[in-house]
Amino acid sequence: MIKLAAHLEINFGKGVSFGERWKAAKRGGFRGCEFVWRNADLSEAVELQKTAPLAVSCLGGTTGGVAGARPVLVLPEDRERLAKDAEAAVAYAGTLSCSNLIMVAGSSIPGWSLEKHRQEAVASLRYIAPILEAAGVTALIEPLNSKVDHKGAYCDTAAEGLRIVQLAESPNVKLLYDAYHMQIMGEDHSGVIRANHALIGYYHLAKVPGRTEPIGGEIDYDALLEVIGETGYDGFIGLEYKPSGEYSTAFERLGSTYPAYM
């Protein structure tokens, strides 16, 4: 059965410790969570999973948007570093019984064609596929909207994300379908999901416009959740939103609106 997962970073404001965010998600009725693995001490997460049990549905942070602290998926010079980070990420994930890592394709490189970006992204994924497959962990390629939040993003449509997934030719590379990003890019959610559900490994939700909790707005999430369920998907769906008010109030609203998925 589909279950909603809290995002332990974006669902909270500043000044709330990782441990309190985890416990607040548990108190809020969630059975799963996601977060950026680089930002949380593994030993603390292990202890929290024992004392306030939550499944870790996926982990972000393995790749970044621009060259710098994190390797960029499309940069060939980052490929060795990506492999090392993938090894660290799958080890972290395995300790928490998590089987998903979010990866973004990065910002467009000036002078590169769309095909060049795609070629390099696929080459990087094929390079780390043995690491993923040996660990039983899936890389989730997340297209980001390039109109509002991530101007300059290379992979900004479901179609491009799906091309990368197909060309990677690994069962451990799938698409992360973020309904917020794809609504901004004008996607036909039901059509894309029904036609490509076998290639989709995870979902994110947030309200459009505003990127607050997914209640109201342009997307009929009751209907969309039904469509996702009809495909046979029965995993977690991440709530990657910024609360419209206090995080605890947002959790209460979500519990009241989607009791069947908490």
Side-chain angles (χ1 to χ4, degrees), residues 3-8 11-12 21-34 52-55 213-214 236-241 247-248 250-255 258 261-262:
K3 301 169 287 293
L4 300 179
H7 195 294
L8 297 189
N11 293 168
F12 296 84
R21 282 177 262 147
W22 183 296
K23 293 172 186 176
K26 178 68 176 179
R27 290 194 303 270
F30 291 96
R31 286 178 278 175
C33 67
E34 59 178 272
L54 287 177
E213 54 268 26
F236 281 98
I237 291 179
L239 302 184
E240 197 177 41
Y241 70 86
Y247 67 79
S248 57
F251 285 173
E252 290 173 4
R253 293 185 67 211
L254 288 163
Y258 304 111
Y261 300 106
M262 298 291 281

Side-chain angles (χ1 to χ4, degrees), residues 34-204:
E34 59 178 272
F35 55 92
V36 174
W37 64 272
R38 297 173 185 274
N39 295 344
D41 181 78
L42 178 57
S43 60
E44 183 180 10
V46 168
E47 186 60 27
L48 285 164
Q49 205 170 44
K50 293 176 182 176
T51 58
L54 287 177
V56 178
S57 55
C58 70
L59 295 165
T62 302
T63 63
V66 295
R70 301 175 188 174
V72 176
L73 190 67
V74 300
L75 291 179
E77 61 266 32
D78 279 6
R79 204 157 286 149
E80 285 293 338
R81 187 156 64 100
L82 174 61
K84 291 179 180 178
D85 280 17
E87 289 175 345
V90 299
Y92 189 112
T95 303
L96 297 173
S97 299
C98 172
S99 59
N100 292 313
L101 297 174
I102 299 173
M103 296 191 185
V104 295
S107 297
S108 298
I109 309 299
W112 282 22
S113 66
L114 184 68
E115 291 73 19
K116 172 67 172 175
H117 284 87
R118 185 184 307 136
Q119 177 185 20
E120 297 297 349
V122 169
S124 292
L125 289 166
R126 288 181 175 177
Y127 192 73
I128 66 170
I131 298 169
L132 301 168
E133 292 167 7
V137 171
T138 296
L140 301 166
I141 305 306
E142 181 178 15
L144 306 173
N145 83 77
S146 59
K147 294 182 178 180
V148 176
D149 301 280
H150 301 279
K151 293 183 179 181
Y154 144 57
C155 180
D156 62 357
T157 65
E160 183 61 20
L162 288 163
R163 289 188 195 100
I164 294 170
V165 169
Q166 290 169 320
L167 290 170
E169 297 181 325
S170 169
N172 291 70
V173 176
K174 292 195 173 185
L175 185 80
L176 191 166
Y177 191 91
D178 187 311
Y180 167 82
H181 288 304
M182 296 300 93
Q183 176 72 13
I184 291 173
M185 298 306 295
E187 297 280 3
D188 170 14
H189 305 301
S190 297
V192 171
I193 291 167
R194 287 192 172 111
N196 302 283
H197 62 87
L199 298 176
I200 300 174
Y202 197 73
Y203 296 86
H204 275 164

